[in-house]
Amino acid sequence: MRFSSCYIPTLKESPADAEVVSHKLLLRAGMVRRLTSGLYIYLPLGLKIIDKIADVVREEINAAGFQELLMPMVQPADLWKETGRWEHYGKELLRFKDRNERDYCLGPTHEEVITDLVRGEVRSYRQLPVRLYQIQSKFRDEIRPRFGLMRGREFVMKDAYSFDADIAGAEESYKLMYDAYTRIFKRLGLKFRAVEADTGSIGGNFSHEFMVLADTGEDTIAFCHDCDYAANVERAEVVWKGEACTGACPDYEKVATPGAHSVEEVAAMLRVPAGTVVKTMLFSVDGKPVAVLVRGDREVNDIKLKNLLKAQEVELAGAATVEALTHAPVGFAGPVGLDVPVYADLELQGATDYVTGANAADAHFRHVDLRRDAAITAWADLRAITPEDVCPRCGGRIELTKGIEVGHIFMLGLKYSESMHAAFLDENGKEKLMIMGCYGIGVSRVAAAAIEQNHDENGIVFPPPVAPFECILLNLDPRNAEVTAKAEEIYAMLRDMGVDVLLDDREERPGVKFKDADLLGAPMQLVVGGKGLARGIVECKDRRSGEKGELTVDAIEEDFSQWAAGVRRGWETQQA
């Protein structure tokens, strides 16, 4: 391809509304353009990146034994009502009516559709397993679409589904996809971790997220230095191996804490460590109030609360609700005398003599023994993991890092086959429900995540398999017949070698070409100029390392092959 005949509208400055690195650079590099909130047009280079990622995904999913199909993006409400998700999915599900007043939605995912398809076709265990996938646009009506392709409303996704006759078969399907995902993200040249995760609105028995590691990631991952344990902090277990405290403490007493709303303010006023203050958080769980207790220097993990109570919706109670339940402003809630179910984190069993809110304005209780003074409904792991905690598998050191979710696989079990009655007859003629799995990759999100992980102050630094071009060839002087002839010769040579190359043949200043080459992020750059040709060389640059070199014009094919192999090995070494 030639730059002069391509639509690559690069920008010198980042648009004011671009927030994260990938959003800024995709816009500046002329790869996407915003249509409206959360909706983007993929320009030719952006689409090329999406297609390259999709090709790798398709090859590996096919190799895993899944077959590709394509389902409608528009889905009838009746199927979603069968599973209950029409009511419970939330406002992210874009619902609408057709001209006949029938309810439909734009598909954010396709569990209902694929289950309806398979239940109408499969009758016998001999037809199982069924393993299908598609690559298609999805739509989720995000309340705050942001970060460009990282959290848009419309996005490109690979979603796959498996139907098996028994648990062993379902586990085999799950492992096939887990291994395929591992190969996909390795082939794409990304640093990633597979982590245990919450199943969220998809549901199911267990799941893994595939996280691209990046400082700008929205998710936090806990991983062990001594074993392969890794989990999203929403899922990460906190191990408490202490013994319940049996020591006595004085009777609790009420003390004045005027204006002390936060743990830090209370601890400072009463001159106690933050860890001896009990944080009492009020939540609405499926519309009913509950209280959660954690140490003042810890954070409540509301996903753990949701899973503990098998709830559909959990949200922090508003100020009006808090005041109605505690008869005090926010900041003074406590478990003593609180007339709602109270769930306490396991760690609180290990001590006594706590400070808690007194359910009265500007007041707290000292010397609270939770077992003696509060009605605890249950003790459970309800807090977020910290680097102070140990690995729940081996007891090793835990570290927290940031990641971007690009893939998620779920063992669904019977969640959809039961509600939609996707059944088959086994070898004994007995009816059984199919065991399902579902597996997603955010194809367009991978493109953004690759940039979040690989960039510098000059622009994008694409891994070779993701880059719209593996090499950019710069003709520094298109008006010079000798330079242009040599650039055209090298361009033809690279194409014959199977290198995906962009020839910058524009009549622009060299500085503009160098800046655009760095911005676009191709792993390799070749520079043909009059001064170099006079010396019998072509300049080369490794975009990742920034190292520059020279290739001999008379042995350009051999020199390029050796140099390019080194550039590719550099990426493999970095990603190992």
Side-chain angles (χ1 to χ4, degrees), residues 190-213:
L190 301 172
K191 292 180 182 176
F192 70 97
R193 289 292 294 259
V195 305
E196 295 179 17
D198 184 67
T199 56
S201 61
I202 301 296
N205 302 335
F206 60 88
S207 72
H208 284 85
E209 289 173 337
F210 286 76
M211 295 279 196
V212 168
L213 306 182

PDB file of all heavy atoms in Angstrom, residues 190-213:
ATOM      1  N   LEU A 190       1.133 -10.232  23.309  1.00  0.00           N
ATOM      2  CA  LEU A 190       0.714  -9.468  24.477  1.00  0.00           C
ATOM      3  C   LEU A 190       1.161 -10.125  25.777  1.00  0.00           C
ATOM      4  O   LEU A 190       1.174 -11.351  25.890  1.00  0.00           O
ATOM      5  CB  LEU A 190      -0.813  -9.335  24.486  1.00  0.00           C
ATOM      6  CG  LEU A 190      -1.419  -8.649  23.261  1.00  0.00           C
ATOM      7  CD1 LEU A 190      -2.928  -8.757  23.285  1.00  0.00           C
ATOM      8  CD2 LEU A 190      -0.983  -7.197  23.189  1.00  0.00           C
ATOM      9  N   LYS A 191       1.534  -9.304  26.734  1.00  0.00           N
ATOM     10  CA  LYS A 191       1.774  -9.790  28.097  1.00  0.00           C
ATOM     11  C   LYS A 191       0.416  -9.904  28.779  1.00  0.00           C
ATOM     12  O   LYS A 191      -0.323  -8.923  28.867  1.00  0.00           O
ATOM     13  CB  LYS A 191       2.655  -8.815  28.877  1.00  0.00           C
ATOM     14  CG  LYS A 191       4.090  -8.725  28.376  1.00  0.00           C
ATOM     15  CD  LYS A 191       4.860  -7.729  29.234  1.00  0.00           C
ATOM     16  CE  LYS A 191       6.295  -7.577  28.736  1.00  0.00           C
ATOM     17  NZ  LYS A 191       7.032  -6.538  29.515  1.00  0.00           N
ATOM     18  N   PHE A 192       0.091 -11.104  29.292  1.00  0.00           N
ATOM     19  CA  PHE A 192      -1.241 -11.310  29.840  1.00  0.00           C
ATOM     20  C   PHE A 192      -1.198 -12.323  30.978  1.00  0.00           C
ATOM     21  O   PHE A 192      -0.213 -13.054  31.142  1.00  0.00           O
ATOM     22  CB  PHE A 192      -2.199 -11.796  28.744  1.00  0.00           C
ATOM     23  CG  PHE A 192      -1.917 -13.207  28.279  1.00  0.00           C
ATOM     24  CD1 PHE A 192      -2.625 -14.282  28.800  1.00  0.00           C
ATOM     25  CD2 PHE A 192      -0.932 -13.459  27.334  1.00  0.00           C
ATOM     26  CE1 PHE A 192      -2.352 -15.577  28.378  1.00  0.00           C
ATOM     27  CE2 PHE A 192      -0.652 -14.756  26.913  1.00  0.00           C
ATOM     28  CZ  PHE A 192      -1.368 -15.816  27.436  1.00  0.00           C
ATOM     29  N   ARG A 193      -2.274 -12.366  31.737  1.00  0.00           N
ATOM     30  CA  ARG A 193      -2.465 -13.389  32.763  1.00  0.00           C
ATOM     31  C   ARG A 193      -3.903 -13.882  32.686  1.00  0.00           C
ATOM     32  O   ARG A 193      -4.833 -13.094  32.449  1.00  0.00           O
ATOM     33  CB  ARG A 193      -2.214 -12.832  34.167  1.00  0.00           C
ATOM     34  CG  ARG A 193      -0.776 -12.516  34.508  1.00  0.00           C
ATOM     35  CD  ARG A 193       0.102 -13.755  34.624  1.00  0.00           C
ATOM     36  NE  ARG A 193      -0.239 -14.625  35.720  1.00  0.00           N
ATOM     37  CZ  ARG A 193       0.427 -14.659  36.886  1.00  0.00           C
ATOM     38  NH1 ARG A 193       1.432 -13.817  37.110  1.00  0.00           N
ATOM     39  NH2 ARG A 193       0.100 -15.510  37.819  1.00  0.00           N
ATOM     40  N   ALA A 194      -4.088 -15.182  32.889  1.00  0.00           N
ATOM     41  CA  ALA A 194      -5.428 -15.743  33.043  1.00  0.00           C
ATOM     42  C   ALA A 194      -5.732 -15.749  34.538  1.00  0.00           C
ATOM     43  O   ALA A 194      -4.964 -16.283  35.330  1.00  0.00           O
ATOM     44  CB  ALA A 194      -5.484 -17.160  32.483  1.00  0.00           C
ATOM     45  N   VAL A 195      -6.847 -15.143  34.929  1.00  0.00           N
ATOM     46  CA  VAL A 195      -7.157 -14.990  36.350  1.00  0.00           C
ATOM     47  C   VAL A 195      -8.553 -15.507  36.651  1.00  0.00           C
ATOM     48  O   VAL A 195      -9.456 -15.440  35.820  1.00  0.00           O
ATOM     49  CB  VAL A 195      -7.036 -13.511  36.795  1.00  0.00           C
ATOM     50  CG1 VAL A 195      -5.661 -12.961  36.457  1.00  0.00           C
ATOM     51  CG2 VAL A 195      -8.102 -12.636  36.161  1.00  0.00           C
ATOM     52  N   GLU A 196      -8.731 -16.039  37.851  1.00  0.00           N
ATOM     53  CA  GLU A 196     -10.053 -16.443  38.301  1.00  0.00           C
ATOM     54  C   GLU A 196     -10.918 -15.200  38.429  1.00  0.00           C
ATOM     55  O   GLU A 196     -10.455 -14.144  38.854  1.00  0.00           O
ATOM     56  CB  GLU A 196      -9.960 -17.162  39.647  1.00  0.00           C
ATOM     57  CG  GLU A 196      -9.211 -18.479  39.579  1.00  0.00           C
ATOM     58  CD  GLU A 196      -9.103 -19.155  40.933  1.00  0.00           C
ATOM     59  OE1 GLU A 196      -9.875 -18.787  41.850  1.00  0.00           O
ATOM     60  OE2 GLU A 196      -8.254 -20.041  41.088  1.00  0.00           O
ATOM     61  N   ALA A 197     -12.190 -15.326  38.064  1.00  0.00           N
ATOM     62  CA  ALA A 197     -13.038 -14.127  37.989  1.00  0.00           C
ATOM     63  C   ALA A 197     -14.452 -14.435  38.427  1.00  0.00           C
ATOM     64  O   ALA A 197     -14.890 -15.591  38.478  1.00  0.00           O
ATOM     65  CB  ALA A 197     -13.036 -13.592  36.558  1.00  0.00           C
ATOM     66  N   ASP A 198     -15.190 -13.362  38.728  1.00  0.00           N
ATOM     67  CA  ASP A 198     -16.607 -13.469  39.041  1.00  0.00           C
ATOM     68  C   ASP A 198     -17.388 -13.672  37.747  1.00  0.00           C
ATOM     69  O   ASP A 198     -16.991 -13.176  36.680  1.00  0.00           O
ATOM     70  CB  ASP A 198     -17.078 -12.196  39.747  1.00  0.00           C
ATOM     71  CG  ASP A 198     -18.517 -12.287  40.181  1.00  0.00           C
ATOM     72  OD1 ASP A 198     -18.814 -13.093  41.075  1.00  0.00           O
ATOM     73  OD2 ASP A 198     -19.355 -11.558  39.618  1.00  0.00           O
ATOM     74  N   THR A 199     -18.510 -14.389  37.834  1.00  0.00           N
ATOM     75  CA  THR A 199     -19.277 -14.696  36.621  1.00  0.00           C
ATOM     76  C   THR A 199     -20.215 -13.558  36.208  1.00  0.00           C
ATOM     77  O   THR A 199     -20.691 -13.533  35.081  1.00  0.00           O
ATOM     78  CB  THR A 199     -20.113 -15.975  36.806  1.00  0.00           C
ATOM     79  OG1 THR A 199     -20.959 -15.827  37.947  1.00  0.00           O
ATOM     80  CG2 THR A 199     -19.205 -17.173  37.022  1.00  0.00           C
ATOM     81  N   GLY A 200     -20.507 -12.612  37.110  1.00  0.00           N
ATOM     82  CA  GLY A 200     -21.280 -11.433  36.746  1.00  0.00           C
ATOM     83  C   GLY A 200     -22.653 -11.750  36.179  1.00  0.00           C
ATOM     84  O   GLY A 200     -23.293 -12.729  36.555  1.00  0.00           O
ATOM     85  N   SER A 201     -23.107 -10.925  35.227  1.00  0.00           N
ATOM     86  CA  SER A 201     -24.460 -11.059  34.678  1.00  0.00           C
ATOM     87  C   SER A 201     -24.607 -12.263  33.758  1.00  0.00           C
ATOM     88  O   SER A 201     -25.716 -12.684  33.456  1.00  0.00           O
ATOM     89  CB  SER A 201     -24.845  -9.789  33.914  1.00  0.00           C
ATOM     90  OG  SER A 201     -23.966  -9.586  32.834  1.00  0.00           O
ATOM     91  N   ILE A 202     -23.474 -12.848  33.316  1.00  0.00           N
ATOM     92  CA  ILE A 202     -23.550 -14.044  32.471  1.00  0.00           C
ATOM     93  C   ILE A 202     -23.965 -15.244  33.308  1.00  0.00           C
ATOM     94  O   ILE A 202     -24.706 -16.111  32.876  1.00  0.00           O
ATOM     95  CB  ILE A 202     -22.186 -14.312  31.786  1.00  0.00           C
ATOM     96  CG1 ILE A 202     -21.784 -13.110  30.928  1.00  0.00           C
ATOM     97  CG2 ILE A 202     -22.244 -15.573  30.924  1.00  0.00           C
ATOM     98  CD1 ILE A 202     -22.693 -12.811  29.772  1.00  0.00           C
ATOM     99  N   GLY A 203     -23.451 -15.305  34.543  1.00  0.00           N
ATOM    100  CA  GLY A 203     -23.783 -16.401  35.438  1.00  0.00           C
ATOM    101  C   GLY A 203     -22.898 -17.611  35.222  1.00  0.00           C
ATOM    102  O   GLY A 203     -21.941 -17.586  34.463  1.00  0.00           O
ATOM    103  N   GLY A 204     -23.224 -18.693  35.935  1.00  0.00           N
ATOM    104  CA  GLY A 204     -22.471 -19.927  35.789  1.00  0.00           C
ATOM    105  C   GLY A 204     -21.717 -20.310  37.042  1.00  0.00           C
ATOM    106  O   GLY A 204     -21.826 -19.670  38.088  1.00  0.00           O
ATOM    107  N   ASN A 205     -20.928 -21.387  36.927  1.00  0.00           N
ATOM    108  CA  ASN A 205     -20.264 -21.967  38.081  1.00  0.00           C
ATOM    109  C   ASN A 205     -18.911 -21.337  38.370  1.00  0.00           C
ATOM    110  O   ASN A 205     -18.564 -21.118  39.526  1.00  0.00           O
ATOM    111  CB  ASN A 205     -20.101 -23.477  37.868  1.00  0.00           C
ATOM    112  CG  ASN A 205     -21.444 -24.168  37.650  1.00  0.00           C
ATOM    113  OD1 ASN A 205     -22.468 -23.676  38.095  1.00  0.00           O
ATOM    114  ND2 ASN A 205     -21.436 -25.292  36.950  1.00  0.00           N
ATOM    115  N   PHE A 206     -18.104 -21.108  37.365  1.00  0.00           N
ATOM    116  CA  PHE A 206     -16.815 -20.449  37.556  1.00  0.00           C
ATOM    117  C   PHE A 206     -16.358 -19.876  36.221  1.00  0.00           C
ATOM    118  O   PHE A 206     -16.899 -20.198  35.173  1.00  0.00           O
ATOM    119  CB  PHE A 206     -15.761 -21.392  38.141  1.00  0.00           C
ATOM    120  CG  PHE A 206     -15.463 -22.605  37.295  1.00  0.00           C
ATOM    121  CD1 PHE A 206     -14.499 -22.554  36.304  1.00  0.00           C
ATOM    122  CD2 PHE A 206     -16.123 -23.799  37.512  1.00  0.00           C
ATOM    123  CE1 PHE A 206     -14.205 -23.668  35.539  1.00  0.00           C
ATOM    124  CE2 PHE A 206     -15.838 -24.925  36.754  1.00  0.00           C
ATOM    125  CZ  PHE A 206     -14.874 -24.863  35.766  1.00  0.00           C
ATOM    126  N   SER A 207     -15.335 -19.016  36.283  1.00  0.00           N
ATOM    127  CA  SER A 207     -14.878 -18.370  35.061  1.00  0.00           C
ATOM    128  C   SER A 207     -13.439 -17.903  35.213  1.00  0.00           C
ATOM    129  O   SER A 207     -12.913 -17.806  36.315  1.00  0.00           O
ATOM    130  CB  SER A 207     -15.782 -17.173  34.715  1.00  0.00           C
ATOM    131  OG  SER A 207     -15.560 -16.098  35.610  1.00  0.00           O
ATOM    132  N   HIS A 208     -12.808 -17.618  34.066  1.00  0.00           N
ATOM    133  CA  HIS A 208     -11.474 -17.015  34.023  1.00  0.00           C
ATOM    134  C   HIS A 208     -11.511 -15.806  33.095  1.00  0.00           C
ATOM    135  O   HIS A 208     -12.121 -15.852  32.022  1.00  0.00           O
ATOM    136  CB  HIS A 208     -10.427 -18.006  33.491  1.00  0.00           C
ATOM    137  CG  HIS A 208     -10.023 -19.047  34.489  1.00  0.00           C
ATOM    138  ND1 HIS A 208     -10.725 -20.213  34.670  1.00  0.00           N
ATOM    139  CD2 HIS A 208      -8.970 -19.092  35.361  1.00  0.00           C
ATOM    140  CE1 HIS A 208     -10.128 -20.942  35.608  1.00  0.00           C
ATOM    141  NE2 HIS A 208      -9.072 -20.284  36.044  1.00  0.00           N
ATOM    142  N   GLU A 209     -10.856 -14.745  33.534  1.00  0.00           N
ATOM    143  CA  GLU A 209     -10.624 -13.592  32.675  1.00  0.00           C
ATOM    144  C   GLU A 209      -9.202 -13.651  32.154  1.00  0.00           C
ATOM    145  O   GLU A 209      -8.292 -14.087  32.868  1.00  0.00           O
ATOM    146  CB  GLU A 209     -10.809 -12.286  33.454  1.00  0.00           C
ATOM    147  CG  GLU A 209     -12.237 -11.976  33.823  1.00  0.00           C
ATOM    148  CD  GLU A 209     -12.338 -10.768  34.734  1.00  0.00           C
ATOM    149  OE1 GLU A 209     -11.350 -10.441  35.427  1.00  0.00           O
ATOM    150  OE2 GLU A 209     -13.414 -10.159  34.752  1.00  0.00           O
ATOM    151  N   PHE A 210      -9.026 -13.204  30.926  1.00  0.00           N
ATOM    152  CA  PHE A 210      -7.684 -13.054  30.358  1.00  0.00           C
ATOM    153  C   PHE A 210      -7.382 -11.568  30.337  1.00  0.00           C
ATOM    154  O   PHE A 210      -8.071 -10.784  29.688  1.00  0.00           O
ATOM    155  CB  PHE A 210      -7.619 -13.685  28.968  1.00  0.00           C
ATOM    156  CG  PHE A 210      -7.597 -15.184  29.028  1.00  0.00           C
ATOM    157  CD1 PHE A 210      -8.753 -15.902  29.302  1.00  0.00           C
ATOM    158  CD2 PHE A 210      -6.410 -15.884  28.845  1.00  0.00           C
ATOM    159  CE1 PHE A 210      -8.735 -17.290  29.384  1.00  0.00           C
ATOM    160  CE2 PHE A 210      -6.375 -17.270  28.916  1.00  0.00           C
ATOM    161  CZ  PHE A 210      -7.536 -17.971  29.200  1.00  0.00           C
ATOM    162  N   MET A 211      -6.353 -11.191  31.101  1.00  0.00           N
ATOM    163  CA  MET A 211      -6.030  -9.790  31.344  1.00  0.00           C
ATOM    164  C   MET A 211      -4.719  -9.400  30.668  1.00  0.00           C
ATOM    165  O   MET A 211      -3.685 -10.042  30.895  1.00  0.00           O
ATOM    166  CB  MET A 211      -5.880  -9.531  32.844  1.00  0.00           C
ATOM    167  CG  MET A 211      -7.158  -9.716  33.625  1.00  0.00           C
ATOM    168  SD  MET A 211      -8.176  -8.241  33.477  1.00  0.00           S
ATOM    169  CE  MET A 211      -9.311  -8.509  34.828  1.00  0.00           C
ATOM    170  N   VAL A 212      -4.770  -8.367  29.842  1.00  0.00           N
ATOM    171  CA  VAL A 212      -3.548  -7.759  29.317  1.00  0.00           C
ATOM    172  C   VAL A 212      -2.994  -6.842  30.405  1.00  0.00           C
ATOM    173  O   VAL A 212      -3.710  -5.972  30.913  1.00  0.00           O
ATOM    174  CB  VAL A 212      -3.840  -6.962  28.026  1.00  0.00           C
ATOM    175  CG1 VAL A 212      -2.645  -6.099  27.641  1.00  0.00           C
ATOM    176  CG2 VAL A 212      -4.176  -7.917  26.891  1.00  0.00           C
ATOM    177  N   LEU A 213      -1.745  -7.051  30.790  1.00  0.00           N
ATOM    178  CA  LEU A 213      -1.156  -6.282  31.876  1.00  0.00           C
ATOM    179  C   LEU A 213      -0.765  -4.896  31.381  1.00  0.00           C
ATOM    180  O   LEU A 213      -0.025  -4.754  30.407  1.00  0.00           O
ATOM    181  CB  LEU A 213       0.070  -7.010  32.428  1.00  0.00           C
ATOM    182  CG  LEU A 213      -0.162  -8.464  32.867  1.00  0.00           C
ATOM    183  CD1 LEU A 213       1.105  -9.058  33.439  1.00  0.00           C
ATOM    184  CD2 LEU A 213      -1.302  -8.554  33.882  1.00  0.00           C
TER     185      LEU A 213
END
